[in-house]
């Protein structure tokens, strides 16, 4: 699957080596082989479209091989903010929804729409997530649910630089 993405006429243009934006990044466990995952910059794809109203989209879509078999999927939105005033809830919901239902399910159904063993949705910001009171926006964001391939998904807040772990 990873080779199919790298060789894909359109998707290959948006494959990157890192998932970083404005100093906010994700990293990978040291023993994950760089050839066992691919990072697609979804926002770059949508920004390249010559359309009047571009849909909101996440920064990175990461597909990684699982150790036994199959693939894991991680959607990552990166924000260089320290509090919840720096994002809009509807916009954030739209970013993940666009990626799941338009990018994966519609535009790139082949090769992206498969039964993933593990799916994570990350919102990475500098907001202190270990505080007792995260704020109403962050609490609401964490309660948004997405249905994708018969799975219920929720957005998980992370601080920079969360580590993408192995998929089993």
């Amino acid at each position: 699957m990873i080779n199919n993405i790298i060789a894909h006429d359109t998707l290959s243009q948006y494959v990157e080596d890192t998932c970083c934006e404005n100093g906010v990044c994700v990293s990978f466990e040291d023993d994950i082989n760089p050839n066992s995952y691919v990072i697609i910059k979804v926002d770059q794809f949508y920004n390249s479209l010559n359309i009047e109203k571009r849909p909101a989209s996440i920064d990175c879509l990461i597909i990684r091989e699982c150790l036994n078999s199959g693939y894991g999927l991680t959607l990552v939105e990166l924000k260089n903010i320290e509090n919840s005033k720096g994002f809009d809830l509807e916009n954030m919901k739209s970013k993940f929804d666009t990626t799941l239902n338009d990018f994966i399910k519609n535009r790139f159904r082949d090769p992206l729409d498969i039964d993933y063993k593990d799916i994570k949705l990350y919102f990475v910001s500098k907001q202190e997530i270990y505080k007792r009171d995260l704020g109403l926006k962050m609490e609401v964001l964490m309660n948004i649910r997405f249905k994708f391939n018969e799975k219920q998904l929720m957005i998980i807040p992370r601080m920079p630089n969360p580590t993408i772990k192995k998929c089993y």
Side-chain angles (χ1 to χ4, degrees):
M1 174 178 203
I2 290 170
N3 290 334
N4 290 344
I5 292 167
I6 292 169
H8 192 277
D9 286 345
T10 305
L11 290 175
S12 62
Q13 299 171 53
Y14 305 100
V15 170
E16 297 278 332
D17 293 334
T18 61
C19 179
C20 284
E21 199 157 293
N22 300 319
V24 178
C25 304
V26 297
S27 61
F28 291 83
E29 279 186 322
D30 290 338
D31 56 351
I32 294 180
N33 183 335
N35 294 326
S36 70
Y37 64 86
V38 65
I39 300 168
I40 302 169
K41 296 292 278 193
V42 178
D43 61 340
Q44 286 181 7
F45 166 77
Y46 282 102
N47 289 338
S48 75
L49 298 179
N50 195 11
I51 56 176
E52 188 173 321
K53 189 172 179 349
R54 282 184 207 97
S57 57
I58 61 157
D59 294 305
C60 304
L61 182 148
I62 301 167
I63 298 173
R64 65 199 185 289
E65 290 178 3
C66 295
L67 292 179
N68 298 326
S69 69
Y71 294 90
L73 174 68
T74 306
L75 278 60
V76 181
E77 174 61 16
L78 305 165
K79 285 280 187 201
N80 187 8
I81 57 171
E82 294 185 12
N83 59 52
S84 59
K85 292 183 181 98
F87 72 91
D88 174 82
L89 276 169
E90 279 307 310
N91 177 263
M92 193 62 58
K93 182 179 177 188
S94 292
K95 288 177 181 234
F96 286 95
D97 189 53
T98 296
T99 304
L100 291 167
N101 296 307
D102 184 56
F103 192 79
I104 295 173
K105 286 284 192 192
N106 183 23
R107 294 179 189 263
F108 299 105
R109 179 178 208 104
D110 179 31
L112 299 180
D113 190 14
I114 65 167
D115 186 21
Y116 293 96
K117 289 183 101 172
D118 178 53
I119 303 174
K120 302 272 191 249
L121 311 181
Y122 288 165
F123 172 65
V124 182
S125 73
K126 293 181 178 178
Q127 183 169 351
E128 177 62 59
I129 62 170
Y130 303 106
K131 289 192 307 190
R132 186 171 181 175
D133 180 22
L134 281 175
L136 183 60
K137 264 191 185 178
M138 192 63 87
E139 295 287 340
V140 171
L141 182 70
M142 291 170 27
N143 285 309
I144 295 172
R145 299 291 185 262
F146 298 91
K147 189 170 183 177
F148 180 78
N149 290 355
E150 305 305 317
K151 293 180 174 128
Q152 288 289 326
L153 307 173
M154 58 188 268
I155 299 169
I156 304 165
R158 293 281 188 243
M159 296 194 59
N161 295 309
T163 301
I164 303 294
K165 301 197 180 300
K166 291 179 191 157
C167 172
Y168 295 95

